[in-house]
């Protein structure tokens, strides 16, 4: 049994507006598809986690042909959630992804992450099924296999879920003694080095630390 860590770059023709807003707008840093159901009358229901402006996500989804319903929750928090009902044409690359992976011998691990105009995911399965899925990926979806390892893997990097900015902030914090006892720096000092606001540092550290904790606990 093999575990593949994949990065997928999408051609503009298959990126729906409510995904494009993540790549083009700083108020939203990341989307995560944390669960889905595509069994009901060709209407897919997807549950998203949104790091950033959920209302901007809703507005972009409303402009996407094929989105039939969207509801939001936890909008007052750094990470909010959206339940989206959509026809296959609304999210063509997701429909393609589901068709390619709907085969015996493999499963897709959740969540699927979208940021920086790329999608990140993990698949576990038998080597033949994994190879067939990659070979049948359409040309507008460019798949890069970042890592192949046995499953379960003891070398899986828990930091793979961090955005580039989260990684930068947490590295600066570590280098300046933020995680030492006693702490060697403050959010304000980290912000001064990164030329941003202290509350921005707070938000990035909280999100990065939460991702690292969840990733480590999932491995146990």
């Amino acid at each position: 049994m093999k575990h593949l860590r994949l990065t997928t770059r999408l051609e503009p023709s298959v990126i729906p507006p409510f995904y494009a807003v993540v790549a083009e707008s700083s108020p939203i840093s990341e989307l995560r598809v944390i669960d889905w159901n595509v069994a009901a009358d060709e209407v897919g229901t997807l549950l998203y986690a949104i790091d950033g402006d959920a209302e901007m996500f809703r507005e972009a989804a409303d402009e996407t042909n094929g989105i039939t319903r969207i509801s939001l929750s936890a909008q007052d928090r750094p990470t909010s959630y959206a339940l989206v009902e959509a026809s296959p044409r609304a999210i063509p690359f997701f429909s393609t992804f589901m068709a390619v992976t709907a085969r015996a011998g493999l499963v897709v691990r959740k969540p699927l992450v979208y940021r920086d105009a790329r999608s990140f995911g993990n698949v576990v399965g038998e080597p033949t099924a994994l190879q067939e899925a990659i070979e049948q990926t359409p040309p507008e979806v460019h798949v890069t296999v970042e890592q192949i390892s046995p499953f379960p893997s003891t070398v899986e990097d828990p930091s793979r879920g961090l955005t580039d900015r989260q990684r930068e902030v947490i590295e600066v914090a570590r280098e300046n003694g933020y995680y030492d006892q006693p702490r060697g720096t403050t959010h304000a000092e980290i912000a001064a080095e990164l030329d941003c606001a202290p509350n921005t540092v707070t938000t990035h550290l909280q999100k990065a630390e939460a991702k690292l904790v969840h990733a480590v606990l999932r491995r146990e």
Side-chain angles (χ1 to χ4, degrees):
M1 192 187 313
K2 296 295 184 182
H3 171 210
L4 271 60
R5 182 161 58 90
L6 308 173
T7 298
T8 304
R9 182 175 59 83
L10 309 172
E11 295 287 346
S13 61
V14 297
I15 300 178
F18 69 109
Y19 273 64
V21 73
V22 179
E24 299 169 1
S25 304
S26 57
I28 300 177
S29 60
E30 181 177 287
L31 294 180
R32 293 182 297 283
V33 186
I34 58 178
D35 217 333
W36 57 78
N37 172 12
V38 293
D41 300 325
E42 295 190 359
V43 174
T45 303
L46 299 96
L47 179 62
Y48 288 92
I50 307 163
D51 286 355
D53 190 336
E55 192 57 41
M56 178 178 288
F57 177 89
R58 183 209 292 274
E59 291 173 0
D62 286 340
E63 296 173 359
T64 302
N65 290 331
I67 298 291
T68 57
R69 183 180 301 173
I70 176 171
S71 57
L72 300 175
S73 65
Q75 292 175 256
D76 58 337
R77 301 177 186 174
T79 297
S80 54
Y81 298 88
L83 192 67
V84 176
E85 294 180 19
S87 66
R89 70 177 182 275
I91 319 174
F93 85 87
F94 187 81
S95 301
T96 299
F97 170 81
M98 293 303 297
V100 168
T101 58
R103 65 184 66 241
L106 66 81
V107 294
V108 179
R109 297 179 66 191
K110 303 166 184 175
L112 300 177
V113 178
Y114 184 81
R115 65 173 184 268
D116 302 328
R118 292 173 293 171
S119 183
F120 304 86
N122 294 270
V123 183
V124 174
E126 298 298 334
T128 300
L130 294 168
Q131 184 63 38
E132 289 176 351
I134 292 173
E135 290 175 351
Q136 294 180 19
T137 302
E140 64 269 19
V141 179
H142 306 280
V143 176
T144 300
V145 178
E146 303 288 356
Q147 183 182 47
I148 302 175
S149 60
F151 184 84
S153 172
T154 59
V155 298
E156 186 173 338
D157 181 4
S159 70
R160 61 182 172 79
L162 302 182
T163 67
D164 293 342
R165 188 58 167 167
Q166 288 167 358
R167 184 184 295 273
E168 180 184 22
V169 172
I170 206 167
E171 285 180 349
V172 169
R174 180 182 59 82
E175 291 168 359
N176 286 276
Y178 181 76
Y179 295 104
D180 294 346
Q181 293 294 333
R183 282 185 171 167
T185 190
T186 66
H187 288 194
E189 291 169 338
I190 296 169
E193 182 168 338
L194 293 169
D195 193 24
C196 65
N199 64 341
T200 300
V201 168
T202 301
T203 297
H204 283 310
L205 285 177
Q206 288 176 342
K207 289 180 178 180
E209 290 164 0
K211 288 179 180 179
L212 292 172
V213 169
H214 291 319
V216 170
L217 292 179
R218 280 198 300 267
R219 297 168 63 188
E220 297 181 350

